[in-house]
């Protein structure tokens, strides 16, 4: 079992809307690829919340882990894309997911020792959200891995949340911009490579993935570093959710025991395919046919 913790919301584009939120996108991809996934989030009792619950039920998610809030609205993000399809986000505040609570049904799942917990930083922008996530991570079994996708958004994080998340994480994914912020946070005046090695050593991080957009990505492990250029063969509709798709394939490879060089190639290919569709998740289930073969492979 995989637990994905955090926001589910609506991405509002100039001419259309899509369900989004990194934990939801991550959970949706892995569930479509055959993994048992529980999404833990919170929505309002408004129309957007009802639509989300209906959609999740249709797709087979257990919606008993989606809390309902009669006081706060379902989360929304206003998205604009530039000429290259790169997104710019305005995340509306005071959303239902900001008030997510630690409940008995969450504790019960932790006792079942899930294989992996996925989390990010946005859910921690309020004291309540940060408290809930930390309680989940502090109560997990030592055999449950934590995947921390830093995924920083302007004015939606603080340094304390970052540090606490690093303490818990086994697999860390950061962008080049987030790496620069981390170096500034720690006052590090060294190369990216040395800083990453120190970070992994000091926080007992097993794997660190560094994404560089058009420059590709690199996966750092105790056994070495594997890099992959960004794919260019698929026309870009937009890049919304590309990082979440990459995270889903990275997590899949980690759990399946694939070789790092296989993981970065497949994560890059999968993220590139998502760039070819509008929004973060496909409307056509056939999108996953090619990739579902990979779920049958262990230790590749």
């Amino acid at each position: 079992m995989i637990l994905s913790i955090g926001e589910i919301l609506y991405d509002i584009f100039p001419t259309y809307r899509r369900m989004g939120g990194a934990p939801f996108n991550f959970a949706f991809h892995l569930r479509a690829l055959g993994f048992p996934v529980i999404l833990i989030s919170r929505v309002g009792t408004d129309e957007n919340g009802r639509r989300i619950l209906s959609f999740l039920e249709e797709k087979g998610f257990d919606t008993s882990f989606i809390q309902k809030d009669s006081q706060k609205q379902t989360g929304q993000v206003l998205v604009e894309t530039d000429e290259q399809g790169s997104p710019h986000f305005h995340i509306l505040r005071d959303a239902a997911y900001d008030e997510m609570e630690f409940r008995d049904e969450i504790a019960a799942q932790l006792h079942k020792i899930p294989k992996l917990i996925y989390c990010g930083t946005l859910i921690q922008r309020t004291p309540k959200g940060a408290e809930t996530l930390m309680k989940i991570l502090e109560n997990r079994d030592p055999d449950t891995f934590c995947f921390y996708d830093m995924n920083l958004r302007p004015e939606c994080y603080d340094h304390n949340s970052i540090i606490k998340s690093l303490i818990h994480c086994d697999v860390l994914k950061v962008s080049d911009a987030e790496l620069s912020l981390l170096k500034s946070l720690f006052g590090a005046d060294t190369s990216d490579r040395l800083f990453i090695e120190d970070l992994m050593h000091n926080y007992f991080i097993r794997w660190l993935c560094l994404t560089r957009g058009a420059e590709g990505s690199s996966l750092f492990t105790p056994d070495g570093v594997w890099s992959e250029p960004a794919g260019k063969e698929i026309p870009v509709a937009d890049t919304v959710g590309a990082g979440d798709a990459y995270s889903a394939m990275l997590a899949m490879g980690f759990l399946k025991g694939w070789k790092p060089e296989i993981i970065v190639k497949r994560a890059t290919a999968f993220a590139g395919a998502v760039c070819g569709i509008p929004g973060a998740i496909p409307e056509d289930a056939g999108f996953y046919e090619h990739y579902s073969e990979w779920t049958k492979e262990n230790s590749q």
Side-chain angles (χ1 to χ4, degrees):
M1 177 61 68
I2 296 170
L3 303 184
S4 187
I5 317 292
E7 66 277 6
I8 183 170
L9 45 78
Y10 266 103
D11 288 324
I12 312 297
F13 296 81
T15 58
Y16 63 93
R17 62 169 51 200
R18 292 284 191 276
M19 286 180 199
F24 163 67
N25 298 335
F26 176 87
F28 187 93
H29 290 313
L30 285 178
R31 198 176 191 292
L33 290 167
F35 283 80
V37 183
I38 289 176
L39 174 64
I40 299 174
S41 189
R42 189 177 178 99
V43 298
T45 54
D46 50 17
E47 180 61 27
N48 283 341
R50 289 191 290 272
R51 288 177 179 174
I52 284 174
L53 290 171
S54 177
F55 177 84
L56 292 176
E57 288 172 355
E58 176 187 332
K59 298 300 180 181
F61 281 87
D62 184 347
T63 57
S64 65
F65 292 91
I66 308 297
Q67 300 170 13
K68 289 84 175 176
D69 193 316
S70 61
Q71 304 299 316
K72 306 289 185 181
Q73 292 188 339
T74 300
Q76 295 185 75
V77 178
L78 307 182
V79 186
E80 294 183 356
T81 56
D82 58 25
E83 294 179 354
Q84 287 73 44
S86 298
H88 301 276
F89 304 100
H90 175 59
I91 304 174
L92 301 189
R93 305 194 74 84
D94 206 27
Y97 62 77
D98 290 320
E99 299 299 318
M100 192 174 69
E101 302 171 346
F102 186 89
R103 293 182 173 177
D104 290 344
E105 60 266 24
I106 298 176
Q109 286 301 316
L110 294 175
H111 286 311
K112 294 179 181 179
I113 311 181
K115 291 183 177 179
L116 182 137
I117 293 175
Y118 169 94
C119 61
T121 310
L122 179 56
I123 191 64
Q124 303 180 69
R125 69 176 177 174
T126 62
K128 183 64 175 180
E131 177 189 3
T132 298
L133 177 61
M134 285 302 119
K135 194 166 185 179
I136 291 171
L137 295 180
E138 289 164 2
N139 283 278
R140 82 189 197 276
D141 189 272
D143 288 335
T144 297
F145 297 112
C146 174
F147 185 130
Y148 176 40
D149 189 350
M150 192 168 285
N151 210 17
L152 299 181
R153 296 291 178 255
E155 301 180 2
C156 290
Y157 64 90
D158 61 53
H159 293 167
N160 188 50
S161 294
I162 293 173
I163 297 298
K164 285 186 175 181
S165 300
L166 289 174
I167 289 171
H168 286 285
C169 88
D170 298 290
V171 179
L172 173 64
K173 177 173 155 286
V174 296
S175 67
D176 47 1
E178 290 161 352
L179 182 68
S180 295
L181 184 144
L182 278 177
K183 291 177 70 174
S184 176
L185 173 61
F186 287 105
D189 183 18
T190 185
S191 68
D192 288 353
R193 176 69 178 266
L194 287 177
F195 176 75
I196 287 171
E197 290 176 353
D198 285 345
L199 190 70
M200 293 178 69
H201 173 76
N202 293 336
Y203 286 92
F204 304 99
I205 298 169
R206 294 169 181 249
W207 284 8
L208 186 149
C209 180
L210 175 64
T211 59
R212 298 191 179 96
E215 300 301 314
S217 61
S218 297
L219 178 58
F220 294 77
T221 81
D223 298 320
V225 184
W226 287 265
S227 299
E228 182 72 14
K232 302 182 184 298
E233 64 277 2
I234 297 176
V236 174
D238 62 58
T239 61
V240 175
D244 307 330
Y246 193 107
S247 293
M249 198 56 65
L250 177 62
M252 187 160 109
F254 179 80
L255 293 175
K256 289 281 188 180
W258 295 346
K259 293 179 180 178
E261 59 267 35
I262 297 295
I263 292 173
V264 291
K265 286 182 182 297
R266 290 180 172 178
T268 298
F270 189 59
V274 168
C275 288
I277 62 172
I281 60 171
E283 294 185 336
D284 180 8
F287 176 89
Y288 294 100
E289 280 186 19
H290 171 68
Y291 309 103
S292 62
E293 291 299 313
W294 296 347
T295 65
K296 304 171 186 176
E297 300 176 1
N298 292 309
S299 302
Q300 293 296 306

